[in-house]
Amino acid sequence: MPKTQLNVRVEEATAEAARQRASQRGMSVNRYIEELVQQDAGELGRTFVDAAADFMQRYGAVFAGESGGRPESSGGPGTAGEAGRDGAGPR
């Protein structure tokens, strides 16, 4: 995958910490920062999914009632409550 160059300005202490951490892990500063961003993006994605699941658990019945549908089983679509333990779905 092609790479894009970013130029950032940070405090000298932050730059030194990045250099030290990258060195301790046996990688370049570029790779170290790239991994940090990827980890952060993954955590945000999980946080969003968890929040959405909580919202639907709390308010799914309200939306189902408004739209004439049925409330989902606990956990929502695609979970063990609907698909079974093996995730294969209804039989």
Side-chain angles (χ1 to χ4, degrees), residues 16-58:
E16 185 56 33
R19 289 184 200 103
Q20 288 178 1
R21 298 288 183 156
S23 177
Q24 290 169 351
R25 289 169 174 75
M27 63 178 64
S28 69
V29 173
N30 288 334
R31 182 68 192 148
Y32 174 67
I33 291 172
E34 187 174 20
E35 285 188 8
L36 288 177
V37 171
Q38 289 170 347
Q39 289 172 6
D40 185 52
E43 289 173 15
L44 290 175
R46 283 190 299 276
T47 300
F48 173 78
V49 170
D50 290 346
D54 181 59
F55 180 86
M56 288 308 294
Q57 182 178 8
R58 292 174 187 241

